Amino acid sequence: MEAKTDDTPKKSLNFIEAFVEQDLKDGKNDGRIQTRFPPEPNGYLHIGHAKAICLDFGIARNYNGICNLRFDDTNPVKEDVEYVDSIKEDIQWLGYKWENVYYASDYFQQLWDLAVELIKQGKAYIDEQSAEEIAKQKGTPTVSGIESPYRNRPISENLELFLKMNSGEIAEGAMVLRAKIDMTSSNMHFRDPLLYRVITSHPHHRTGYTWKAYPMYDYAHGQSDYFEGVTHSLCTLEFEVHRPLYDWFIDQFKNSDYRPRQIEFNRLNLTYTVMSKRKMLLLVQEALVIGWDDPRMPTICGLRRRGYSPEAIHNFIDKIGYTKFEAQNDIGLLEHAVRESLNKTATRVNAVLNPVKLIVTNYPADKVEMMETINNPEDETAGVRTIPFSRELYIEREDFMEDAPKKFFRMTPGQEVRLKSAYIVKCTGCKKDEAGEIEEIYCEYDELTKSGMPESGRKVKGTLHWVSAQHALKAEVRLYDRLFSIENPSADPRDFRELLNPDSLKVLHNCFVEPTLKGAKALEQFQFQRLGYFNVDPETTAEKLIFNRTVSLKDSWAKEQQR
RNA sequence: UGUCUUAUGGUGUAAUGGUAGCACUGCAGUUUCUGGAUCUGCCUGUCUAGGUUCGAAUCCUUGUAAGACAACCA
């Protein structure tokens, strides 16, 4: 009988980890595990990439392997160094270190040599038809294609033309190199796929104008894996149909027992947002958002600016898992993950977003008391600080009601509430302007109920946050909501730009925060007591404090009100 | 009228032929100097029809539904 030495239940493996363990058990590739994260440097990384990053780097870490960063830079028309730098920054921010940085462009010569080999074996040919003609001959998924008239060109001619494709003698678009496989295959990718095309109009971000013939994805990606020694090439579901071709190329060139294995998993879809680079680019280009790092964007830099922690993103990705089912993940789960993370780490501070003056009428006008308050009740090591209390305060307008329903536990005439970390006060009335708008609220404090004193234990239903009017700092606060107003914008027949949530950003200019926030640093995270998690926007200056709302606190009163 | 893939509560995900569990959401309560957090309980599920088996979410067949594939993109 097998003795179980470990009584902690084994965490169930996802199907990819199960494959990896089986491959290890079977002794494949000498027990080596190597993955890669292969972004194209043509845009910023988003949370969907984070899912892939966590898998690629996570598998390598868990199984004693390595993970490289490889830029799949085979299309100079779209790619730029700007993106290379941001991609590196985002991966590091997520907490991962790559073993090496590689570029598909590092392999242009090797790829070229192998293509020449393929031509010599009669397995590739130069086609000089137009893109339209080639597309027409490809057939459709249900109708097989027909062969190109150039398909049986002599090898020597193919070789000669291939050289010309790269020398500048052949105009962009005039010729391509195609593999000679099977125009009748039920898999479209086998119908003589394109291997190389000519691009002369754009310099490559690393090789300039050195190359004019550029390899295409199916050929370059798989062979790059092979050159590097990748054992598990993890990608999203849409590449499933490409796998037979991936394997076909490996079969053409492999010369040992080693072979990389492509495994596909489900991409990340989030409700109320879009995850397509193309759509994100349009939002940026048409100034529908401020930029790639707009806090409403699902980009890594957007989430970072919004106040998300790397931990929150990891927690979220752990929760959604990896399967082969095309799922729609509730953005509420992401929001839960960030609350869970920030709850443990964010310092609690007082900020009043929609201020109204509260005057403690029996408190001396010239008196100021420094009140001690806890930085984070979830973290004993976070310590305490002091905040000033005085006769004139600001509280939230929503925390006062003249005629309040029974379940309203806040400021209303005749009712006692606690001012957090200060005194219990009783509301005595308010002053309104001609329009009926509340101008000032009045209350009286009970000296014996100062926080920490025995009388402060008295039961009151509500606790309010506040700031001292003369000490508070003015701040701008940006409130964000979901970028789109409908759950699945991608499934909607309308143009996605018509589906944007018009209220996704609300800027409040007249907010007050407690004085300890003076000098707060960019991206620093706080909990504005009773309101939500906020961080310091990088646009903050010495003169102007700007905060972003990461996510609100759960609000059961708001729910109650909706009934 | 093709190929490949998928289907477990509202959402996501486990159970690897042996008691359908977890998280989020929702609801009810507990507790609280945050209507937060905590803690407790509850609601809700194996796409259909057959078959194999002592036993099927799991294996097989069929049907249904959904997704991917027809870029000189990756």
Side-chain angles (χ1 to χ4, degrees):
Chain A
M1 201 199 282
E2 242 180 315
K4 260 201 158 177
T5 50
D6 189 1
D7 37 290
T8 56
K10 202 175 169 194
K11 188 186 170 291
S12 63
L13 302 175
N14 65 47
F15 77 103
I16 297 169
E17 292 166 329
F19 282 155
V20 168
E21 291 201 357
Q22 188 60 47
D23 286 348
L24 244 20
K25 214 167 131 193
D26 294 344
K28 286 191 186 162
N29 304 316
D30 305 319
R32 216 165 41 76
I33 297 296
Q34 184 172 326
T35 59
R36 94 279 90 111
F37 175 62
E40 183 186 15
N42 70 343
Y44 284 74
L45 259 29
H46 53 65
I47 185 143
H49 294 108
K51 176 172 175 175
I53 288 168
C54 290
L55 183 67
D56 289 327
F57 285 90
I59 292 271
R61 193 178 51 204
N62 295 342
Y63 294 98
N64 252 313
I66 61 171
C67 179
N68 296 311
L69 171 60
R70 182 181 72 233
F71 291 98
D72 259 359
D73 55 349
T74 55
N75 184 5
V77 177
K78 290 186 177 172
E79 295 152 8
D80 199 280
V81 276
E82 174 197 358
Y83 300 118
V84 169
D85 296 336
S86 78
I87 287 168
K88 287 180 179 172
E89 185 188 351
D90 289 346
I91 295 170
Q92 287 170 320
W93 181 72
L94 285 172
Y96 292 111
K97 284 202 180 85
W98 48 83
E99 187 78 13
N100 296 106
V101 180
Y102 294 132
Y103 294 82
S105 52
D106 290 338
Y107 311 128
F108 280 172
Q109 187 61 52
Q110 283 179 83
L111 290 165
W112 173 272
D113 294 344
L114 284 186
V116 168
E117 197 52 44
L118 224 42
I119 295 172
K120 285 181 177 167
Q121 289 175 20
K123 290 176 181 165
Y125 63 96
I126 304 288
D127 199 336
E128 50 190 284
Q129 299 181 97
S130 68
E132 295 71 35
E133 283 172 304
I134 290 174
K136 208 189 290 172
Q137 289 167 4
K138 277 237 161 156
T140 69
T142 53
V143 177
S144 65
I146 57 170
E147 295 183 353
S148 165
Y150 298 96
R151 198 171 199 259
N152 295 309
R153 214 193 258 287
I155 289 173
S156 59
E157 204 176 307
N158 285 319
L159 249 17
E160 194 183 321
L161 290 172
F162 191 40
L163 278 169
K164 286 186 177 172
M165 274 176 64
N166 199 38
S167 68
E169 291 168 76
I170 302 298
E172 191 162 309
M175 292 185 187
V176 292
L177 180 72
R178 300 177 72 180
K180 193 193 281 187
I181 310 181
D182 179 7
M183 290 305 290
T184 66
S185 172
S186 53
N187 184 335
M188 297 288 293
H189 298 280
F190 275 88
R191 324 248 260 227
D192 289 10
L194 276 62
L195 267 38
Y196 271 83
R197 82 298 212 170
V198 176
I199 297 172
T200 54
S201 56
H202 290 73
H204 187 276
H205 71 113
R206 296 183 73 238
T207 62
Y209 288 104
T210 306
W211 296 87
K212 277 100 189 162
Y214 287 92
M216 306 220 10
Y217 170 83
D218 282 302
Y219 174 61
H221 185 88
Q223 290 317 296
S224 297
D225 282 350
Y226 183 72
F227 295 151
E228 288 171 7
V230 167
T231 58
H232 298 269
S233 184
L234 313 176
C235 61
T236 45
L237 250 25
E238 69 268 28
F239 292 100
E240 218 152 20
V241 226
H242 293 244
R243 187 175 358 116
L245 184 57
Y246 181 98
D247 289 334
W248 186 86
F249 282 122
I250 299 298
D251 288 336
Q252 303 312 303
F253 303 117
K254 91 190 245 298
N255 55 11
S256 69
D257 284 342
Y258 156 67
R259 76 177 300 144
R261 175 181 185 184
Q262 176 178 306
I263 303 168
E264 311 85 13
F265 60 91
N266 62 344
R267 65 162 60 244
L268 172 58
N269 298 304
L270 263 189
T271 55
Y272 297 101
T273 191
V274 293
M275 209 63 80
S276 125
K277 274 196 212 173
R278 185 186 66 83
K279 288 177 181 169
M280 288 185 206
L281 181 62
L282 283 172
L283 292 176
V284 173
Q285 284 174 342
E286 296 177 10
L288 296 166
V289 295
I290 305 162
W292 286 100
D293 69 342
D294 187 298
R296 291 166 293 181
M297 291 279 273
T299 49
I300 306 288
C301 54
L303 291 166
R304 179 164 61 228
R305 184 168 172 188
R306 176 79 171 256
Y308 273 73
S309 56
E311 184 199 42
I313 293 173
H314 284 115
N315 289 350
F316 171 66
I317 287 168
D318 278 349
K319 285 174 207 286
I320 61 172
Y322 298 87
T323 68
K324 293 183 79 99
F325 176 70
E326 182 89 17
Q328 272 288 322
N329 292 283
D330 189 344
I331 198 159
L333 192 56
L334 215 211
E335 293 170 346
H336 170 261
V338 73
R339 285 192 188 102
E340 190 179 42
S341 164
L342 264 18
N343 179 44
K344 290 178 293 186
T345 58
T347 297
R348 273 56 171 174
V349 296
N350 293 300
V352 177
L353 302 191
N354 186 13
V356 61
K357 197 161 262 186
L358 174 69
I359 299 177
V360 188
T361 51
N362 61 340
Y363 195 85
D366 52 355
K367 187 174 177 183
V368 176
E369 278 183 278
M370 294 307 290
M371 301 297 195
E372 186 172 282
T373 189
I374 291 173
N375 285 329
N376 186 348
E378 305 294 321
D379 178 7
E380 281 183 28
T381 66
V384 295
R385 69 181 186 289
T386 57
I387 47 175
F389 180 86
S390 65
R391 186 171 191 268
E392 298 199 0
L393 311 170
Y394 288 114
I395 63 168
E396 299 289 346
R397 214 162 257 285
E398 295 78 40
D399 283 343
F400 175 79
M401 265 181 112
E402 210 177 1
D403 296 303
K406 229 185 268 168
K407 285 189 174 176
F408 187 80
F409 303 146
R410 308 177 182 185
M411 187 78 66
T412 187
Q415 185 161 296
E416 278 197 333
V417 292
R418 184 189 304 281
L419 295 177
K420 174 132 181 118
S421 309
Y423 294 99
I424 294 174
V425 298
K426 185 176 215 165
C427 183
T428 53
C430 65
K431 184 173 107 185
K432 284 186 271 191
D433 66 12
E434 287 154 12
E437 186 85 351
I438 309 287
E439 281 187 312
E440 288 178 345
I441 301 164
Y442 306 111
C443 69
E444 289 175 353
Y445 85 117
D446 179 347
E447 202 176 1
L448 298 176
T449 61
K450 183 172 174 177
S451 285
M453 292 175 68
E455 265 302 289
S456 72
R458 194 198 299 167
K459 289 283 173 204
V460 284
K461 283 268 181 70
T463 300
L464 306 188
H465 62 276
W466 50 271
V467 293
S468 166
Q470 58 171 307
H471 302 94
L473 271 25
K474 199 96 180 268
E476 175 179 316
V477 174
R478 300 173 181 171
L479 303 179
Y480 301 100
D481 201 349
R482 294 159 183 193
L483 224 203
F484 288 86
S485 50
I486 64 165
E487 202 170 79
N488 188 357
S490 306
D492 197 285
R494 288 169 287 181
D495 185 282
F496 76 104
R497 285 161 290 198
E498 295 171 33
L499 310 173
L500 286 165
N501 174 8
D503 300 319
S504 62
L505 171 61
K506 273 187 204 144
V507 182
L508 306 178
H509 298 281
N510 191 35
C511 307
F512 292 103
V513 299
E514 63 170 71
T516 51
L517 255 22
K518 189 174 171 63
K521 292 185 184 58
L523 301 183
E524 208 174 334
Q525 294 152 324
F526 297 97
Q527 186 197 89
F528 286 0
Q529 207 110 213
R530 299 209 302 136
L531 298 174
Y533 296 96
F534 294 74
N535 80 337
V536 180
D537 190 85
E539 288 178 356
T540 287
T541 62
E543 293 75 42
K544 189 179 185 188
L545 274 170
I546 304 172
F547 292 93
N548 295 315
R549 183 174 67 192
T550 309
V551 66
S552 66
L553 251 32
K554 286 203 340 195
D555 189 349
S556 52
W557 168 240
K559 237 180 240 173
E560 181 67 34
Q561 279 178 303
Q562 278 170 14
R563 296 179 189 213

